[in-house]
Amino acid sequence: MGPPGVGKGTQAKRLREWLGVPHVSTGDILREAVAEGSALGKKVRGYLETGQLVPDGVMGELIEERLRRTDTAGGFLVDGFPRTAEQVEILHRVLQGLHVSLDRVFVLTAPEAEIVRRISGRRLCPKCGRLYHIDSQPPRAAGVCDGCSAALVQRPDDVESVIVERLAVYQKQTLPVVAAYRGQGIVVEVDGSGDAEAVSARIRSELGSS
Ligand code: AMP
């Protein structure tokens, strides 16, 4: 968990390699649906474009379907869910049905100035989902994905007007969710500033110390 642009996607992708478990990113699933123009994509497009949260009912079905797939049997990493109190309940119910519980909730933090700098320089490969930053994590050739040579894009919700809205939505709807998990003693706050490797090392040391 953590505000938009704090590095959740980058860290989850690194952790996925390290732990060998699938990375379930609700944002990635929704963006793919929008790109494909599927029924789900058509339903959620407006929310993503304006930085609003997709309704809990839609998200509940999506996360349940995803977590029930067999590839999650050895564990999984959820990124971008839950984001509301209702979604905490939904996740609890789905996990109970799967007879598993959350081991940890990592909360990444960073100063707002760094968040805005990261989001505005962020670039995404629309084909393989790889993330770049024009200053701190540039591709080898400007504007082109190192892995699959597709032209990199900026997420449409990474423009300033939408960033402000996403930060406000995080403060209002998602921060209280962190408090709910804090009560269960599974929250680990991690300083998300600095380069990606330094942040990964902090997360790995927390996991290693269990
Ligand atoms: P993210 O990539 O996690 O920043 O998500 C991008 C956008 O997808 C958000 O601004 C929301 O519009 C939507 N979204 C992703 N995850 C959720 C969620 N758990 N609940 C509601 N909307 C979501």
Side-chain angles (χ1 to χ4, degrees):
M1 302 185 78
V6 78
K8 298 186 296 292
T10 300
Q11 291 304 324
K13 285 180 175 103
R14 288 171 157 257
L15 214 50
R16 166 183 68 187
E17 306 300 326
W18 194 65
L19 294 171
V21 297
H23 164 212
V24 176
S25 158
T26 49
D28 284 353
I29 295 171
L30 295 170
R31 274 185 291 280
E32 259 167 49
V34 170
E36 283 167 4
S38 67
L40 173 67
K42 291 195 178 105
K43 204 186 291 182
V44 303
R45 184 184 187 137
Y47 296 101
L48 270 75
E49 280 174 354
T50 54
Q52 297 295 320
L53 294 184
V54 171
D56 290 333
V58 176
M59 295 309 300
E61 278 178 31
L62 183 151
I63 202 77
E64 179 153 22
E65 189 276 322
R66 180 62 189 88
L67 294 183
R68 284 191 171 279
R69 288 196 212 157
T70 50
D71 67 340
T72 60
F76 50 86
L77 190 62
V78 186
D79 159 19
F81 191 98
R83 269 166 140 110
T84 65
E86 175 66 22
Q87 291 181 13
V88 172
E89 294 303 317
I90 293 170
L91 186 60
H92 181 66
R93 187 176 48 74
V94 173
L95 296 182
Q96 265 186 337
L98 293 169
H99 306 291
V100 293
S101 55
L102 290 179
D103 291 322
R104 289 282 201 304
V105 175
F106 284 98
V107 180
L108 297 179
T109 58
E112 191 158 321
E114 178 151 357
I115 287 174
V116 172
R117 185 193 68 77
R118 284 188 187 178
I119 297 185
S120 46
R122 175 155 73 178
R123 297 294 180 273
L124 168 74
C125 173
K127 209 166 153 201
C128 71
R130 197 152 156 183
L131 291 166
Y132 296 89
H133 187 279
I134 49 174
D135 301 323
S136 54
Q137 187 85 41
R140 284 194 292 272
V144 177
C145 180
D146 295 345
C148 60
S149 302
L152 302 180
V153 297
Q154 188 170 28
R155 276 172 49 170
D157 59 347
D158 278 352
V159 296
E160 199 175 328
S161 57
V162 184
I163 295 170
V164 170
E165 179 60 21
R166 287 164 61 210
L167 285 167
V169 166
Y170 178 77
Q171 294 288 337
K172 188 161 172 247
Q173 291 179 268
T174 307
L175 258 188
V177 170
V178 176
Y181 285 126
R182 201 163 268 136
Q184 296 176 27
I186 53 174
V187 169
V188 181
E189 268 196 41
V190 173
D191 176 5
S193 53
D195 68 33
E197 180 45 38
V199 179
S200 295
R202 285 175 210 137
I203 295 175
R204 285 197 304 264
S205 89
E206 288 288 346
L207 282 169
S209 65
S210 61

